Short mmCIF file of all heavy atoms in Angstrom, two decimals:
data_model
loop_
_atom_site.label_atom_id
_atom_site.label_comp_id
_atom_site.label_asym_id
_atom_site.label_seq_id
_atom_site.Cartn_x
_atom_site.Cartn_y
_atom_site.Cartn_z
N MET A 166 -14.90 89.35 -1.71
CA MET A 166 -14.60 90.43 -0.78
C MET A 166 -13.10 90.59 -0.56
O MET A 166 -12.59 91.71 -0.48
CB MET A 166 -15.33 90.19 0.54
CG MET A 166 -16.81 90.53 0.48
SD MET A 166 -17.63 90.36 2.07
CE MET A 166 -17.91 88.59 2.09
N LEU A 167 -12.38 89.48 -0.46
CA LEU A 167 -10.94 89.56 -0.25
C LEU A 167 -10.22 90.07 -1.49
O LEU A 167 -9.22 90.80 -1.38
CB LEU A 167 -10.40 88.19 0.16
CG LEU A 167 -10.87 87.68 1.53
CD1 LEU A 167 -10.31 86.29 1.80
CD2 LEU A 167 -10.47 88.63 2.65
N LEU A 168 -10.72 89.72 -2.67
CA LEU A 168 -10.14 90.26 -3.90
C LEU A 168 -10.28 91.78 -3.94
O LEU A 168 -9.38 92.48 -4.41
CB LEU A 168 -10.83 89.64 -5.12
CG LEU A 168 -10.40 88.23 -5.52
CD1 LEU A 168 -11.35 87.67 -6.57
CD2 LEU A 168 -8.96 88.21 -6.04
N ARG A 169 -11.39 92.27 -3.44
CA ARG A 169 -11.64 93.71 -3.44
C ARG A 169 -10.80 94.42 -2.39
O ARG A 169 -10.35 95.55 -2.61
CB ARG A 169 -13.13 93.96 -3.17
CG ARG A 169 -13.53 95.42 -3.20
CD ARG A 169 -15.03 95.60 -3.09
NE ARG A 169 -15.56 95.15 -1.81
CZ ARG A 169 -16.84 95.29 -1.46
NH1 ARG A 169 -17.69 95.83 -2.31
NH2 ARG A 169 -17.26 94.88 -0.28
N ARG A 170 -10.53 93.75 -1.27
CA ARG A 170 -9.87 94.41 -0.14
C ARG A 170 -8.35 94.33 -0.19
O ARG A 170 -7.65 95.29 0.15
CB ARG A 170 -10.38 93.79 1.17
CG ARG A 170 -9.70 94.30 2.42
CD ARG A 170 -9.94 95.79 2.62
NE ARG A 170 -9.29 96.27 3.82
CZ ARG A 170 -8.01 96.61 3.93
NH1 ARG A 170 -7.23 96.51 2.87
NH2 ARG A 170 -7.52 97.05 5.06
N PHE A 171 -7.80 93.17 -0.61
CA PHE A 171 -6.35 92.95 -0.55
C PHE A 171 -5.78 92.84 -1.96
O PHE A 171 -6.07 91.87 -2.67
CB PHE A 171 -6.03 91.68 0.24
CG PHE A 171 -6.43 91.75 1.68
CD1 PHE A 171 -7.57 91.08 2.13
CD2 PHE A 171 -5.69 92.50 2.59
CE1 PHE A 171 -7.95 91.14 3.46
CE2 PHE A 171 -6.07 92.57 3.92
CZ PHE A 171 -7.20 91.90 4.37
N PRO A 172 -4.94 93.78 -2.39
CA PRO A 172 -4.39 93.76 -3.76
C PRO A 172 -3.63 92.47 -4.08
O PRO A 172 -3.64 92.02 -5.23
CB PRO A 172 -3.45 94.98 -3.78
CG PRO A 172 -3.99 95.89 -2.72
CD PRO A 172 -4.53 94.99 -1.64
N GLY A 173 -2.95 91.87 -3.08
CA GLY A 173 -2.17 90.67 -3.34
C GLY A 173 -2.93 89.38 -3.18
O GLY A 173 -2.34 88.28 -3.28
N TYR A 174 -4.25 89.47 -2.94
CA TYR A 174 -5.00 88.24 -2.65
C TYR A 174 -5.09 87.31 -3.86
O TYR A 174 -5.20 86.09 -3.70
CB TYR A 174 -6.40 88.58 -2.15
CG TYR A 174 -7.20 87.33 -1.84
CD1 TYR A 174 -6.84 86.48 -0.81
CD2 TYR A 174 -8.33 86.99 -2.61
CE1 TYR A 174 -7.55 85.33 -0.54
CE2 TYR A 174 -9.05 85.83 -2.34
CZ TYR A 174 -8.66 85.01 -1.30
OH TYR A 174 -9.37 83.87 -1.04
N ARG A 175 -5.01 87.86 -5.03
CA ARG A 175 -5.08 87.00 -6.23
C ARG A 175 -3.94 85.98 -6.21
O ARG A 175 -4.15 84.81 -6.55
CB ARG A 175 -5.01 87.85 -7.50
CG ARG A 175 -5.12 87.02 -8.77
CD ARG A 175 -5.19 87.91 -10.00
NE ARG A 175 -5.31 87.14 -11.22
CZ ARG A 175 -5.40 87.66 -12.43
NH1 ARG A 175 -5.41 88.97 -12.58
NH2 ARG A 175 -5.51 86.90 -13.49
N GLN A 176 -2.75 86.39 -5.80
CA GLN A 176 -1.62 85.47 -5.72
C GLN A 176 -1.83 84.47 -4.58
O GLN A 176 -1.49 83.29 -4.71
CB GLN A 176 -0.32 86.25 -5.52
CG GLN A 176 0.17 87.02 -6.75
CD GLN A 176 -0.72 88.21 -7.09
OE1 GLN A 176 -1.16 88.94 -6.18
NE2 GLN A 176 -0.97 88.43 -8.37
N THR A 177 -2.39 84.94 -3.47
CA THR A 177 -2.72 84.03 -2.36
C THR A 177 -3.71 82.97 -2.84
O THR A 177 -3.57 81.78 -2.52
CB THR A 177 -3.32 84.82 -1.19
OG1 THR A 177 -2.39 85.80 -0.73
CG2 THR A 177 -3.68 83.89 -0.04
N LEU A 178 -4.69 83.40 -3.60
CA LEU A 178 -5.70 82.49 -4.13
C LEU A 178 -5.07 81.44 -5.03
O LEU A 178 -5.42 80.25 -4.96
CB LEU A 178 -6.75 83.30 -4.89
CG LEU A 178 -8.02 82.60 -5.36
CD1 LEU A 178 -8.78 82.01 -4.19
CD2 LEU A 178 -8.90 83.59 -6.12
N GLU A 179 -4.15 81.86 -5.87
CA GLU A 179 -3.48 80.91 -6.76
C GLU A 179 -2.69 79.88 -5.95
O GLU A 179 -2.70 78.68 -6.27
CB GLU A 179 -2.55 81.66 -7.71
CG GLU A 179 -3.30 82.49 -8.75
CD GLU A 179 -2.38 83.36 -9.59
OE1 GLU A 179 -1.16 83.39 -9.27
OE2 GLU A 179 -2.87 84.01 -10.53
N ARG A 180 -2.01 80.32 -4.89
CA ARG A 180 -1.25 79.39 -4.06
C ARG A 180 -2.17 78.43 -3.31
O ARG A 180 -1.86 77.24 -3.18
CB ARG A 180 -0.37 80.17 -3.09
CG ARG A 180 0.85 80.82 -3.75
CD ARG A 180 1.79 81.42 -2.73
NE ARG A 180 1.31 82.68 -2.22
CZ ARG A 180 1.54 83.87 -2.79
NH1 ARG A 180 2.24 83.93 -3.91
NH2 ARG A 180 1.09 84.98 -2.26
N ALA A 181 -3.30 78.93 -2.83
CA ALA A 181 -4.25 78.07 -2.12
C ALA A 181 -4.86 77.04 -3.07
O ALA A 181 -5.05 75.87 -2.70
CB ALA A 181 -5.34 78.92 -1.48
N ASN A 182 -5.17 77.46 -4.29
CA ASN A 182 -5.73 76.53 -5.28
C ASN A 182 -4.74 75.43 -5.65
O ASN A 182 -5.15 74.30 -5.95
CB ASN A 182 -6.12 77.29 -6.55
CG ASN A 182 -7.46 77.97 -6.44
OD1 ASN A 182 -8.36 77.49 -5.75
ND2 ASN A 182 -7.61 79.11 -7.09
N ALA A 183 -3.45 75.75 -5.62
CA ALA A 183 -2.43 74.80 -6.08
C ALA A 183 -1.91 73.89 -4.97
O ALA A 183 -1.28 72.87 -5.26
CB ALA A 183 -1.26 75.56 -6.70
N ASP A 184 -2.17 74.23 -3.71
CA ASP A 184 -1.59 73.48 -2.60
C ASP A 184 -2.37 72.18 -2.36
O ASP A 184 -3.57 72.20 -2.09
CB ASP A 184 -1.60 74.32 -1.31
CG ASP A 184 -0.65 73.79 -0.26
OD1 ASP A 184 -0.76 72.61 0.09
OD2 ASP A 184 0.22 74.55 0.17
N GLY A 185 -1.67 71.05 -2.48
CA GLY A 185 -2.32 69.75 -2.30
C GLY A 185 -2.20 69.18 -0.92
O GLY A 185 -2.65 68.05 -0.67
N VAL A 186 -1.59 69.92 0.02
CA VAL A 186 -1.36 69.40 1.37
C VAL A 186 -2.10 70.24 2.42
O VAL A 186 -2.95 69.72 3.15
CB VAL A 186 0.15 69.38 1.69
CG1 VAL A 186 0.38 68.87 3.12
CG2 VAL A 186 0.89 68.51 0.69
N LEU A 187 -1.77 71.53 2.49
CA LEU A 187 -2.43 72.40 3.46
C LEU A 187 -3.88 72.63 3.08
O LEU A 187 -4.23 72.59 1.90
CB LEU A 187 -1.71 73.75 3.54
CG LEU A 187 -0.30 73.77 4.11
CD1 LEU A 187 0.27 75.18 4.01
CD2 LEU A 187 -0.28 73.29 5.55
N THR A 188 -4.72 72.88 4.08
CA THR A 188 -6.09 73.25 3.76
C THR A 188 -6.07 74.61 3.06
O THR A 188 -5.16 75.43 3.26
CB THR A 188 -6.97 73.37 5.01
OG1 THR A 188 -6.46 74.41 5.84
CG2 THR A 188 -6.99 72.06 5.78
N PHE A 189 -7.09 74.85 2.25
CA PHE A 189 -7.19 76.11 1.50
C PHE A 189 -7.11 77.30 2.45
O PHE A 189 -6.39 78.27 2.21
CB PHE A 189 -8.51 76.10 0.74
CG PHE A 189 -8.62 77.11 -0.35
CD1 PHE A 189 -8.51 76.74 -1.67
CD2 PHE A 189 -8.88 78.44 -0.07
CE1 PHE A 189 -8.63 77.67 -2.70
CE2 PHE A 189 -9.00 79.38 -1.08
CZ PHE A 189 -8.87 78.99 -2.40
N THR A 190 -7.87 77.21 3.55
CA THR A 190 -7.92 78.33 4.48
C THR A 190 -6.61 78.50 5.25
O THR A 190 -6.28 79.61 5.65
CB THR A 190 -9.09 78.16 5.46
OG1 THR A 190 -9.04 76.84 6.04
CG2 THR A 190 -10.42 78.34 4.76
N ALA A 191 -5.86 77.42 5.45
CA ALA A 191 -4.55 77.53 6.12
C ALA A 191 -3.59 78.35 5.28
O ALA A 191 -2.80 79.15 5.80
CB ALA A 191 -3.98 76.15 6.40
N VAL A 192 -3.63 78.19 3.97
CA VAL A 192 -2.79 78.98 3.08
C VAL A 192 -3.18 80.45 3.19
O VAL A 192 -2.31 81.34 3.26
CB VAL A 192 -2.91 78.49 1.62
CG1 VAL A 192 -2.10 79.40 0.69
CG2 VAL A 192 -2.44 77.05 1.50
N GLU A 193 -4.49 80.73 3.22
CA GLU A 193 -4.94 82.12 3.34
C GLU A 193 -4.50 82.72 4.67
O GLU A 193 -4.01 83.86 4.73
CB GLU A 193 -6.47 82.18 3.23
CG GLU A 193 -7.01 81.83 1.85
CD GLU A 193 -8.53 81.82 1.85
OE1 GLU A 193 -9.12 81.11 2.68
OE2 GLU A 193 -9.11 82.53 1.02
#
Side-chain angles (χ1 to χ4, degrees):
M166 283 184 278
L167 293 178
L168 282 169
R169 182 173 65 175
R170 175 63 179 82
F171 296 104
Y174 180 66
R175 182 174 180 179
Q176 288 70 41
T177 300
L178 189 58
E179 290 173 354
R180 286 188 282 274
N182 279 328
D184 198 305
V186 178
L187 293 176
T188 63
F189 196 104
T190 50
V192 176
E193 292 176 305

